[in-house]
Amino acid sequence: MPGRPDRSAPAGPGPVPALRLAPERLRSAILAGAGAVTLLWGVQARPSARLDVLFATGAHLSGLLAGYGVLVLLLLMARVPAVEHGVGADRLARAHALGGRYVLGLIAAHAVLALCGYAVHTRTDLVTATGDLLAYGAIAAATAGTALFVAVGVTSARAVRRRVRHETWRAIHLGGLLAAALGFVHQLAGPDIAGSLLTRWLWSMAHGTVAVLLLWYRLVVPVRAALRHELRVVEVRDEGPGVVSVLVRGRGVARLGAEPGQFFRWRFLRRGLWATALPFSLSAPVRDDTLRITVKALGDHTRRIRRLRPGTRVLASGPFGALTAHRRTRRKVLLLAGGVGITPLRALFETLPGGPGDVTLLYRASDTASLVLREELESIARERQAALHFLVGRPDDSFGPPPACGRGCPHPASLAPRALRHLVPDLAAHDVYLCGPPAMARAATANLIRAGVPASRIHSEDFDHV
């Protein structure tokens, strides 16, 4: 049965993608590209003490960097497998959000510097200069694109996004693609790009490459997978209060190459769910062409999942995420889960290679009824002779020795450094995989570091940023 340990054929890690781009290499490549753009500006810059030339020079640099920044933002969200699997979807989303702020700042600087430079050059006031510049088609296009970028930025602010429906936010974000196209039209008309055939060709090739990656991985690949695998819901199983597991089966599912710890973006083709792709981790290894997710009802979409019926068509985009076995650097591993964050760690608990005592799972929940997949976890622990501890109750930084009982006995829900070291005596020698609510994950990360675990060996994925 999917989700149960297969004693006759132990599951191993799924197929490993051919290429994973490390975060450091991605960062270096982005910085190198920014350096190349700056060099392009420097080659064409003409030193001058005239005020209008100084304004224009600054406008050219900020404009080129803004255009390059837009390309980087689009690439980060293109869902290229080598980037997704090497860096992680949450890191990419955070980088995208941070980069968006820089790009908006560069666009604003470009607009202000260009306007001031034109006003000084023509000896007119800013209002007149604005009217004159908007008469140029390329500048009008850039202005419309800027307005779209601002709308994307405003709706992405945390305080605003909480009040905006996901479908609305997504539609506005798609407007960012039109904004990028309008910006490209503006750039081709500018002297920095239009002044050289080689520069114009390179700039166009860069934009064309990113456009192809976006279309391929965000449209063609998901549609092709839907046609090839024909995924359908086969069972919806209650796992606890407000928690269900959904089993999805199709043809040739193993060819998706999903690894334990990864997630898909799921689109269930029924009323109320088809318009939104929901990110859920696999809660069991892939078996018999079956994928399993375990979902807690936390909002409108997740509540509707409980009412799915067998036979419902499913579109699954992925796999995504880097919370997989490839991050492991030590023989011993601690899996630390909170709430429904157990789902990717349950799959890793079963499949991570290791002998008796090499793998430990700590699972924190508010009460025993909230311990999702408890029987499966206990079965895996017995099968593997792995350590399993349930931390039950309200979060508490105090520490008391755990009660004397066998494997799986609930302990106080403390994640304080001393409590962690008591449960895992050689904690500093472990890799740690962490998944849970954001507040719990932040506190656990800080306490793990205080307990002696290097930050480089704490591996997590924040689904608030996916």
Side-chain angles (χ1 to χ4, degrees):
M1 178 180 295
R4 309 297 188 202
D6 185 348
R7 291 164 176 76
S8 63
V16 178
L19 176 65
R20 299 182 196 269
L21 184 64
E24 298 77 15
R25 291 193 175 185
L26 177 63
R27 188 182 307 115
S28 298
I30 291 172
L31 291 175
V37 170
T38 304
L39 179 62
L40 171 65
W41 165 82
V43 168
Q44 300 182 77
R46 296 293 180 265
S48 174
R50 286 173 46 186
L51 185 59
D52 59 339
V53 175
L54 291 175
F55 277 130
T57 301
H60 291 164
L61 176 59
S62 55
L64 283 171
L65 289 175
Y68 171 73
V70 169
L71 276 183
V72 171
L73 295 182
L74 294 176
L75 179 63
L76 293 178
M77 292 293 100
R79 299 179 183 170
V80 179
V83 179
E84 287 272 350
H85 298 164
V87 179
D90 60 332
R91 289 186 184 181
L92 292 172
R94 285 196 296 269
H96 178 84
L98 179 61
R101 299 187 187 102
Y102 286 118
V103 167
L104 282 174
L106 287 167
I107 291 173
H110 172 71
V112 170
L113 290 169
L115 178 61
C116 291
Y118 183 83
V120 171
H121 182 74
T122 58
R123 298 182 181 181
T124 57
D125 59 84
L126 293 178
V127 175
T128 302
T130 300
D132 291 345
L133 288 173
L134 288 176
Y136 294 95
I139 292 178
T143 303
T146 299
L148 288 171
F149 277 132
V150 169
V152 171
V154 169
T155 54
S156 295
R158 185 171 300 179
V160 177
R161 185 171 179 180
R162 289 172 180 167
R163 295 171 171 80
V164 176
R165 287 178 57 83
H166 178 79
E167 291 80 5
T168 303
W169 173 86
R170 182 177 176 81
I172 293 173
H173 242 66
L174 287 175
L177 297 176
L178 176 58
L182 292 171
F184 178 61
V185 171
H186 172 70
Q187 293 153 20
L188 287 184
D192 298 296
I193 304 299
S196 164
L197 179 62
L198 177 61
T199 303
R200 188 161 61 247
W201 182 81
L202 289 172
W203 200 253
S204 299
M205 284 295 295
H207 281 75
T209 299
V210 172
V212 168
L213 290 173
L214 278 167
L215 286 172
W216 183 257
Y217 287 111
R218 298 202 63 148
L219 181 61
V220 175
V221 169
V223 170
R224 185 182 63 178
L227 296 174
R228 173 183 294 174
H229 301 294
E230 295 187 356
L231 298 175
R232 292 183 183 272
V233 174
V234 294
E235 184 183 351
V236 179
R237 178 192 304 159
D238 283 325
E239 299 287 5
V243 180
V244 296
S245 285
V246 181
L247 277 69
V248 176
R249 185 172 296 148
R251 297 182 306 171
V253 169
R255 290 201 299 269
L256 290 169
E259 300 177 65
Q262 291 188 314
F263 69 95
F264 286 77
R265 288 179 169 89
W266 305 86
R267 198 181 296 272
F268 298 95
L269 302 187
R270 59 146 287 178
R271 185 178 179 183
L273 287 173
W274 68 268
T276 303
L278 303 168
F280 295 121
S281 297
L282 298 177
S283 60
V286 178
R287 289 193 184 92
D288 301 325
D289 280 338
T290 301
L291 304 167
R292 190 186 77 172
I293 58 174
T294 302
V295 181
K296 184 174 184 179
L298 297 172
D300 292 341
H301 293 101
T302 47
R303 278 192 289 270
R304 293 188 184 110
I305 286 176
R306 302 188 66 185
R307 299 192 290 272
L308 287 172
R309 294 289 180 265
T312 301
R313 287 292 302 270
V314 182
L315 303 182
S317 177
F320 301 112
L323 194 67
T324 59
H326 90 278
R327 284 192 171 183
R328 184 179 185 176
T329 63
R330 294 292 185 274
R331 179 173 63 87
K332 293 193 173 184
V333 176
L334 168 64
L335 306 174
L336 179 53
V340 78
I342 188 62
T343 54
L345 301 191
R346 179 257 178 257
L348 288 167
F349 190 44
E350 180 179 346
T351 59
L352 280 176
D358 286 346
V359 180
T360 300
L361 173 62
L362 303 185
Y363 182 11
R364 193 174 88 171
S366 57
D367 53 60
T368 54
S370 300
L371 293 171
V372 181
L373 307 174
R374 178 172 184 172
E375 291 183 4
E376 291 185 19
L377 296 171
E378 291 174 338
S379 177
I380 294 168
R382 286 192 299 270
E383 180 76 15
R384 302 197 58 178
Q385 301 180 49
L388 171 63
H389 304 286
F390 296 122
L391 311 179
V392 177
R394 295 178 60 82
D396 181 11
D397 283 338
S398 64
F399 171 71
C405 59
R407 178 187 290 116
C409 181
H411 301 313
S414 175
L415 293 178
R418 188 180 171 201
L420 291 170
R421 285 195 297 265
H422 187 97
L423 292 169
V424 189
D426 53 348
L427 177 61
H430 284 64
D431 269 307
V432 180
Y433 287 73
L434 170 64
C435 190
M440 171 263 182
R442 287 192 295 269
T445 299
N447 286 338
L448 286 165
I449 292 172
R450 287 166 55 198
V453 181
S456 61
R457 284 200 262 120
I458 302 174
H459 316 299
S460 64
E461 207 147 46
D462 180 2
F463 277 78
D464 268 14
H465 290 90
V466 172

